[in-house]
Amino acid sequence: MKKVLQQLGRYRKDTILCIIMAALEILLEILMPFITALIIGQGLEAANLNLVYRYGILMVVMALLSLVFGSLAGKCAASASAGLSANLCQAIYNNIQTFSFSNIDKFSVPGLVTRMTTDITNVQNAFMMVIRIAVRAPLMLIFSYIMCLIISPRMSLMFLIAVAFLIVVLGAIMVVTLKIFGQVFRKYDDLNASVQENVSAIRAVKAFVREDYENRKFSKASANLYKLFVKAEGLLAFNNPAMMLAFYFCIISASWLGAQFIVDGTLSTGDLTSLFSYIMSLLMSLMMLSMMVVMISMSMASVRRISEVLSETPDLKEPADPVTQVADGSIDFDHVSFSYKHGSGKNALSDIDLHIASGETIGVIGGTGSGKSSLVNLICRLYDVSEGSVKVGGLDVRQYDMEALRNQVSVVLQKNTLFSGTILDNLRWGNPDATEEECIQACRAACADEFIERFPDSYQTRIERGGANVSGGQKQRLCIARALLKHPKVLILDDSTSAVDTATDAKIRAAFARQIPGTTKIIIAQRVSSVEHADRILVLDEGRINGFDTHENLLKNNAIYREIYESQVNGGGDFDQPA
């Protein structure tokens, strides 16, 4: 809770003002039944109309002031809760930007989306209610009970029974529902994951006619959420019967005892009238508190989930005295082992000892799950090694400022991502200050200019979210051009020419050799034709180095490489190349 409330920032002032205005509103409301008793006792029963008029005017003024204070309290509550929501969104988003891949894996993307939407909305609604009702209800309860004690101490004792009963019932309900709501929001993550996966892969769903299967999967996730909500709301439904039991107990007790006290002459009619008003206020405050229990039960689960994200520290930490310049593109793996789950005993990479000179072109090949992507992720420090060290430019990557390192180690990942905006906007992700001419040169090197110039708006063509209006090969070439604009010391292509034809692939490699000869190039590929012209080729098998040599030597000496080569050539070659 403390972590969440720290995000109030400049909205603390609105929160304090709301509490003050609500307190003043309650004070005026509490005094009204007392003045009503005076009007009945000293005005109407004594036939003193002047006193009735004076107190009547006072009550009107107090009612108007109460209205003003209440309106101001509502405005401040809305401002403070909306401000808290905005600050929480910003704080979570900013913290997510610092996360490493392993941090994001821990929460999952749908889980983070739920926290930034459903959970924050719950906290916003609960906070608005709390700063108004949590002030209003207790103050009304205390002041009403004090006035009841002033009017009739003996009758006031029975109200304590009702209050104690409600505290026990509401407390028990809250303890149980807190656990259930914790499960509810985890189910929300599953529901969001189902929606996100379905919408992002809608083409595949349509192509394989899997709509019915996806509907059943969503219905199952929705039904699980429904069952938990019914269970939680079923327990919360006991609030109302408990409230009504306490309410009627107080009304019947006050009526029975009040009638006896009036007959005895120890209580006046005006006092009994005001006592009923205070009983109503007291019970209304208890009812508001019971509503608050529901909101707090839901929001506490959300508060915990939000706090988890805000408290999460990135696995990758900046060094105390970071290096900001990368000397060259040399890469050294010194007996590196790496596991995605530390302590699991299952390594993605084991004892990798590898040395690459600056400016070399290295091909990386191997079967699915052999550790190709894991290897290159360590070079730009998207993950940290479990054992050994990775050096770029002669220094351990953990000594560099991460931003400086990643600006010099440019990666075109397996999953190519484009963003909403023009082609130029997307290219300038690589270099925000790049001129249009520099963008065109990068596109020529990546063979992207061929299709861009066919668009009616050329480089001003708008790209839809995720690159939905360009083909896979076009998307890959745009991502390569974007990476080239960084003028990196190391360029990593993680299977990023898989969707382009062999001729275009060859043109891209030739452009690299011509335009960025001093840049170290690491090309991960599934087809031999993409890597056979590299200076050396790394063969990975189950996270270990199986071979590291030239194409010719590997054909002679490496069984895995020879098998891959022969299967591709004898199998008919690439799709656009004769066998």
Side-chain angles (χ1 to χ4, degrees):
M1 181 63 80
K2 184 181 177 183
K3 197 81 176 175
V4 170
L5 292 179
Q6 282 175 350
Q7 302 305 321
L8 265 174
R10 63 189 181 91
Y11 297 101
R12 282 192 178 89
K13 181 182 174 183
D14 287 330
T15 305
I16 293 166
L17 278 173
C18 174
I19 292 169
I20 293 169
M21 294 298 149
L24 290 172
E25 180 191 10
I26 292 300
L27 185 62
L28 291 170
E29 285 183 13
I30 290 297
L31 290 173
M32 283 191 189
F34 184 72
I35 295 171
T36 302
L38 292 176
I39 290 173
I40 294 170
Q42 298 177 18
L44 295 177
E45 289 182 355
N48 188 345
L49 289 179
N50 287 331
L51 187 140
V52 171
Y53 293 144
R54 285 201 303 271
Y55 281 141
I57 292 167
L58 179 61
M59 285 187 71
V60 170
V61 172
M62 288 171 67
L64 290 172
L65 286 173
S66 178
L67 178 64
V68 170
F69 290 141
S71 300
L72 289 173
K75 182 182 177 183
C76 292
S79 173
S81 60
L84 175 63
S85 172
N87 287 352
L88 280 173
C89 277
Q90 190 66 53
I92 290 175
Y93 190 80
N94 289 345
N95 206 35
I96 289 170
Q97 299 306 305
T98 69
F99 284 179
S100 66
F101 280 17
S102 56
N103 291 116
I104 293 171
D105 293 342
K106 176 180 175 181
F107 290 104
S108 82
V109 173
L112 291 171
V113 170
T114 305
R115 283 166 168 85
M116 289 190 68
T117 51
T118 307
D119 287 322
I120 286 181
T121 301
N122 285 339
V123 171
Q124 178 183 349
N125 293 336
F127 185 72
M128 181 187 287
M129 180 177 277
V130 163
I131 59 175
R132 291 206 67 190
I133 295 180
V135 173
R136 182 183 178 84
L139 284 178
M140 186 180 284
L141 183 70
I142 293 164
F143 289 156
S144 294
Y145 193 68
I146 289 170
M147 295 305 291
C148 288
L149 285 170
I150 292 169
I151 295 168
S152 176
R154 285 186 294 172
M155 285 183 66
S156 302
L157 292 173
M158 66 182 179
F159 303 142
L160 290 176
I161 300 169
V163 172
F165 166 74
L166 283 174
I167 288 171
V168 170
V169 173
L170 297 180
I173 290 171
M174 191 171 177
V175 168
V176 178
T177 52
L178 274 174
K179 293 179 182 177
I180 298 172
F181 279 119
Q183 297 172 40
V184 163
F185 294 113
R186 284 194 291 275
K187 293 298 180 184
Y188 261 124
D189 292 348
D190 295 340
L191 195 71
N192 281 345
S194 178
V195 173
Q196 187 178 11
E197 187 177 52
N198 182 276
V199 172
S200 60
I202 192 67
R203 286 187 174 91
V205 173
K206 297 285 185 187
F208 287 91
V209 197
R210 297 286 282 175
E211 291 93 340
D212 289 342
Y213 171 78
E214 289 295 321
N215 284 339
R216 286 196 300 272
K217 189 169 77 171
F218 180 84
S219 297
K220 184 179 178 182
S222 183
N224 288 335
L225 191 61
Y226 163 78
K227 288 173 186 174
L228 282 172
F229 256 123
V230 168
K231 187 177 179 182
E233 295 293 344
L235 287 169
L236 290 172
F238 283 102
N239 275 0
N240 282 341
M243 276 303 309
M244 296 315 293
L245 184 62
F247 179 83
Y248 288 120
F249 168 76
C250 290
I251 293 293
I252 292 168
S253 300
S255 300
W256 181 61
L257 290 173
Q260 289 188 13
F261 291 154
I262 288 172
V263 172
D264 294 343
T266 55
L267 191 71
S268 68
T269 307
D271 286 340
L272 184 61
T273 304
S274 59
L275 193 65
F276 272 119
S277 297
Y278 286 124
I279 291 169
M280 290 297 293
S281 296
L282 189 145
L283 293 170
M284 281 301 297
S285 65
L286 285 173
M287 192 169 286
M288 285 190 284
L289 284 172
S290 73
M291 288 168 55
M292 219 171 69
V293 167
V294 178
M295 288 300 298
I296 290 174
S297 297
M298 291 182 67
S299 65
M300 284 306 293
S302 295
V303 165
R304 277 201 301 273
R305 286 161 54 83
I306 291 168
S307 297
E308 284 172 5
V309 180
L310 293 175
S311 303
E312 182 75 6
T313 54
D315 290 344
L316 307 181
K317 300 190 187 305
E318 294 281 7
D321 188 19
V323 178
T324 56
Q325 293 295 325
V326 180
D328 56 47
S330 63
I331 301 168
D332 299 286
F333 281 75
D334 293 330
H335 299 285
V336 167
S337 294
F338 168 67
S339 173
Y340 285 100
K341 290 186 179 179
H342 297 294
S344 65
K346 187 178 179 181
N347 285 345
L349 297 170
S350 299
D351 195 30
I352 301 293
D353 198 60
L354 182 68
H355 305 281
I356 301 167
S358 183
E360 267 194 291
T361 298
I362 303 296
V364 182
I365 202 163
T368 303
S370 60
K372 303 186 296 294
S373 295
S374 301
L375 182 87
V376 296
N377 283 341
L378 299 178
I379 297 172
C380 54
R381 207 186 168 202
L382 294 177
Y383 295 94
D384 268 344
V385 298
S386 304
E387 295 175 26
S389 66
V390 178
K391 294 177 182 176
V392 174
L395 286 176
D396 193 313
V397 292
R398 289 169 289 197
Q399 293 179 251
Y400 286 108
D401 174 83
M402 278 190 281
E403 190 173 322
L405 174 68
R406 289 169 188 170
N407 274 329
Q408 293 301 316
V409 181
S410 196
V411 185
V412 184
L413 294 168
Q414 237 174 341
K415 294 181 180 178
N416 299 284
T417 303
L418 295 175
F419 299 88
S420 302
T422 64
I423 287 175
L424 278 178
D425 291 337
N426 273 277
L427 292 172
R428 284 177 177 142
W429 271 67
N431 179 3
D433 302 319
T435 64
E436 186 167 345
E437 184 56 36
E438 287 174 322
C439 292
I440 292 170
Q441 288 296 327
C443 287
R444 282 176 185 158
C447 295
D449 60 319
E450 300 172 2
F451 68 86
I452 293 173
E453 288 169 1
R454 290 199 298 268
F455 291 143
D457 296 324
S458 189
Y459 286 83
Q460 295 300 328
T461 301
R462 183 162 182 82
I463 299 293
E464 300 300 330
R465 187 174 68 85
N469 58 332
V470 290
S471 71
Q474 290 171 342
K475 192 187 295 186
Q476 285 186 339
R477 282 179 275 175
L478 285 171
C479 290
I480 293 169
R482 183 172 67 188
L484 289 173
L485 277 171
K486 294 175 81 170
H487 305 295
K489 296 278 197 315
V490 179
L491 175 64
I492 298 168
L493 303 180
D494 186 357
D495 205 17
S496 19
T497 57
S498 58
V500 301
D501 58 79
T502 311
T504 304
D505 191 8
K507 286 182 187 177
I508 293 170
R509 290 198 309 273
F512 286 171
R514 187 173 60 253
Q515 296 191 20
I516 50 171
T519 297
T520 304
K521 296 166 281 291
I522 298 177
I523 302 169
I524 297 175
Q526 296 291 342
R527 58 192 185 196
V528 172
S529 62
S530 296
V531 298
E532 63 182 341
H533 300 290
D535 297 322
R536 288 185 289 172
I537 300 167
L538 174 67
V539 181
L540 287 173
D541 182 41
E542 294 184 353
R544 295 181 181 274
I545 295 176
N546 187 268
F548 187 41
D549 211 331
T550 62
H551 169 71
E552 292 76 14
N553 289 341
L554 286 172
L555 277 178
K556 293 176 187 174
N557 306 318
N558 190 275
I560 291 177
Y561 186 77
R562 187 166 55 249
E563 184 183 343
I564 294 170
Y565 177 78
E566 289 174 354
S567 68
Q568 291 185 9
V569 172
N570 296 335
D574 291 328
F575 64 91
D576 54 356
Q577 196 178 49

